[in-house]
Amino acid sequence: MFEDFKTTIATQLAVLTGAPVEAITGAIGIPKTNAHGDLAVNIPSLRIKGNPAQLAKDWAEAFKVDEVITSAVSTGPYINFRINRQVLTRKVLSTIYEKQDKYGWTNEGAGKRVIVEFSSPNIAKPFHAGHLRSTIIGNLIYNLYKASGWDAISMNYLGDWGKQYGLLAVGFERFGNEEQLVADPIQHLFEVYVAISAAAKEDDSLNDQARAYFKSMEDGDETALALWRRFRELSIVKYKDTYARLNINFDVYSGESQVGEGMTRAMAMLEECGLIAESEGAKLLDLEKYKLGKTVVKKSDGTTLYITRDIGAAIERFEAYNFDKIVYVIASQQDMHMKQFLKTISLIGLPYADRFQHVNYGLVKGMSTRNGTVIFLDDMLRESKEIMHEVMRKNEDKYAQVPDPEHVSSVLGVSAIIVQDMLARRIKDYDFDWKRILSFEGNTGPYLQYTHARLCSIERKVQDQVK
């Protein structure tokens, strides 16, 4: 969008400074505040001898403004430029008209591949609202890479392995119901898990049964795996329905269970690098010298844990996708785990270890229904839709003009939830407030949709096409 203006500025500054046009173009960015201007040149980055602030002042005074670049003013070591508003407006509107929904897209990442792993709920548990931030932030990152020309792959790494699935299998034998499983698999499996967890607190032998069941899964017992596989497949179908309501689609559904031979190789690398310590039959990853503590990589019964599978998954993913970058969108609660993981893949000498990035985020506090109960995402989407529908019904005349009020109220509800999350600072916790997020005033999803509706109304009333 600004490339033509940058070229105009860089061409004239190249004459004044003696620096190459390419170097100046690369030093042009957007000022931190609109008050400073539309574009700014960072003089120190040009690496020219002299006092940067004085150089900026001299070159700003010598810069010849015209009908396109209307002012050049120095602020410390920067030269700030303003663009003719009419020229800029004409340029923006004509570009939008030409590019349509591809406006803002670039080819900066052409030829490069990125995997963005996000959302990652646990199988057999409803999509808790706490997973919402990972889903929204991850999808934004994925879309940004895609719009920048990268070959972007969205990956959902499901929590689908571990002793808890042994417990779930034991629980299903006691509390499971086939009809309820088919009707609503995630909700029913959650209810089973809650029931068996409560029972296991009273009867520890159930935990022993769960560990034995999971061990049989890891050993490849087909009967045990068949039941687990059914739970997994039914859960994914339900998850896809929830994601569709958020307009999100994943390219790959992976999971801890999908990691295979990579785990064996990971363990061998850890042993070879002297990173393993033993304690009561279990194997620990020792990162004490890096102030990252110790963590179990293999239990005394031979079963693996999260970090073992994460390292194995990293190896297998690179071999499968040959990515240039991989981004993990995981809550700040897991910062220590991710630090251990990133440090470990570096220590074992993976040549692509510098391609991994962790994007963390804060928690959502006070997320509950209006009557105060903690909710899952489906409940939240349902309630936001109902509230929006109530608001729409208050204006009977306009409500009668809406062709599909159910769909519209659903879109308004989803918009409210997504926008309120995007407004929060990524790394900070924030308080969930129904009244604020569903308001039609201020920076909210409903107000954004209202503004869009108004613009569409104006567009319909304009007879001539945009020139």
Side-chain angles (χ1 to χ4, degrees):
M1 178 72 266
F2 283 106
E3 294 310 309
D4 291 345
F5 303 119
K6 288 181 179 180
T7 300
T8 299
I9 292 169
T11 300
Q12 190 177 157
L13 280 181
V15 177
L16 295 173
T17 66
V21 171
E22 296 78 11
I24 298 173
T25 302
I28 300 177
I30 307 295
K32 290 184 177 180
T33 65
N34 293 334
H36 287 163
D38 301 311
L39 293 171
V41 177
N42 179 5
I43 299 304
S45 67
L46 299 179
R47 299 177 182 275
I48 296 175
K49 290 183 178 180
N51 183 311
Q54 187 60 47
L55 291 174
K57 183 175 182 296
D58 294 341
W59 292 332
E61 291 174 353
F63 191 93
K64 294 181 179 179
V65 297
D66 54 25
E67 69 279 1
V68 177
I69 307 300
T70 59
S71 76
V73 179
S74 65
T75 304
Y78 292 87
I79 304 179
N80 298 307
F81 298 90
R82 289 205 178 277
I83 302 168
N84 183 307
R85 278 292 174 270
Q86 289 186 339
V87 173
L88 180 59
T89 300
R90 193 179 305 117
K91 176 73 173 176
V92 170
L93 291 177
S94 62
T95 303
I96 291 173
Y97 188 71
E98 176 189 347
K99 300 291 186 180
Q100 298 291 318
D101 59 355
K102 295 299 183 189
Y103 173 71
W105 288 49
T106 73
N107 292 315
E108 293 175 6
K112 293 188 285 189
R113 174 175 289 170
V114 61
I115 295 175
V116 184
E117 178 198 298
F118 61 99
S119 195
S120 306
N122 294 312
I123 290 293
K125 291 184 181 180
F127 192 131
H128 193 282
H131 289 286
L132 182 65
R133 294 214 78 188
S134 174
T135 305
I136 292 174
I137 295 169
N139 192 55
L140 170 67
I141 293 171
Y142 166 72
N143 286 334
L144 286 173
Y145 273 111
K146 196 172 180 181
S148 298
W150 287 67
D151 174 14
I153 298 171
S154 56
M155 179 177 289
N156 200 336
Y157 186 61
L158 301 171
D160 62 355
W161 203 243
K163 177 244 179 181
Q164 66 268 34
Y165 296 101
L167 188 61
L168 182 65
V170 173
F172 192 75
E173 187 175 334
R174 278 196 175 198
F175 306 109
N177 179 287
E178 183 64 23
E179 290 184 3
Q180 292 180 41
L181 176 67
V182 173
D184 194 342
I186 295 179
Q187 184 61 36
H188 182 55
L189 290 175
F190 173 67
E191 291 167 354
V192 169
Y193 188 76
V194 170
I196 193 62
S197 295
K201 289 180 180 179
E202 302 298 326
D203 182 1
D204 195 52
S205 68
L206 292 174
N207 287 311
D208 294 333
Q209 292 178 46
R211 280 187 282 270
Y213 195 100
F214 177 58
K215 183 65 166 62
S216 69
M217 289 168 62
E218 286 221 308
D219 291 342
D221 181 87
E222 188 51 42
T223 302
L225 287 173
L227 182 60
W228 160 82
R229 201 175 290 121
R230 187 154 184 261
F231 290 166
R232 184 180 192 274
E233 290 170 356
L234 287 170
S235 295
I236 289 176
V237 170
K238 179 62 176 177
Y239 283 136
K240 286 183 176 179
D241 178 61
T242 299
Y243 290 124
R245 294 168 71 184
L246 295 170
N247 196 28
I248 292 173
N249 176 62
F250 283 94
D251 299 312
V252 178
Y253 277 88
S254 182
E256 296 173 54
S257 65
Q258 308 301 297
V259 185
E261 180 256 348
M263 275 192 298
T264 304
R265 291 161 61 190
M267 284 300 302
M269 290 178 179
L270 292 171
E271 297 272 13
E272 290 170 10
C273 294
L275 298 172
I276 296 297
E278 293 204 17
S279 175
E280 300 179 0
K283 294 192 174 184
L284 310 178
L285 173 61
D286 187 357
L287 298 174
E288 292 280 8
K289 67 164 65 175
Y290 307 103
K291 298 181 180 180
L292 294 174
K294 294 180 181 179
T295 184
V296 179
V297 292
K298 184 175 282 190
K299 292 182 178 180
S300 57
D301 64 2
T303 55
T304 55
L305 280 94
Y306 298 120
I307 195 163
T308 324
R309 293 191 284 273
D310 285 347
I311 298 168
I315 295 170
E316 293 181 2
R317 286 178 186 178
F318 183 76
E319 293 174 352
Y321 297 102
N322 191 29
F323 54 78
D324 296 280
K325 190 171 186 178
I326 182 167
V327 181
Y328 295 83
V329 185
I330 301 175
S332 55
Q333 288 175 307
Q334 298 296 320
D335 280 356
M336 175 57 82
H337 171 78
M338 289 306 298
K339 287 177 181 177
Q340 292 172 334
F341 166 68
L342 295 174
K343 186 64 179 178
T344 301
I345 61 174
S346 175
L347 290 173
I348 62 177
L350 295 186
Y352 42 88
D354 61 345
R355 303 184 187 189
F356 292 73
Q357 180 184 5
H358 173 213
V359 174
N360 59 3
Y361 55 88
L363 304 179
V364 185
K365 296 180 178 181
M367 190 170 280
S368 63
T369 57
R370 284 178 288 180
N371 62 17
T373 58
V374 176
I375 54 174
F376 298 114
L377 183 60
D378 276 350
D379 300 320
M380 193 162 78
L381 292 174
R382 188 182 308 111
E383 181 146 2
S384 63
K385 174 184 175 181
E386 289 172 356
I387 295 171
M388 288 293 97
H389 211 157
E390 290 172 10
V391 173
M392 289 167 60
R393 284 195 183 99
K394 290 178 180 178
N395 189 323
E396 294 182 5
D397 292 338
K398 288 187 176 180
Y399 184 79
Q401 298 174 33
V402 178
D404 188 352
E406 287 288 328
H407 173 70
V408 172
S409 60
S410 178
V411 170
L412 285 171
V414 170
S415 299
I417 291 167
I418 292 177
V419 171
Q420 61 88 30
D421 193 86
M422 296 302 298
L423 281 171
R425 291 183 62 185
R426 173 179 58 82
I427 197 59
K428 296 291 186 180
D429 297 347
Y430 74 88
D431 295 316
F432 187 83
D433 181 354
W434 278 114
K435 185 177 180 180
R436 175 174 55 83
I437 72 170
L438 296 173
S439 172
F440 276 85
E441 297 178 359
N443 295 324
T444 67
Y447 185 75
L448 181 65
Q449 291 289 3
Y450 167 75
T451 303
H452 177 256
R454 290 284 296 141
L455 289 171
C456 289
S457 175
I458 293 171
E459 186 179 33
R460 286 193 298 270
K461 293 175 182 177
V462 173
Q463 299 300 316
D464 298 328
Q465 289 187 339
V466 178
K467 300 296 183 183

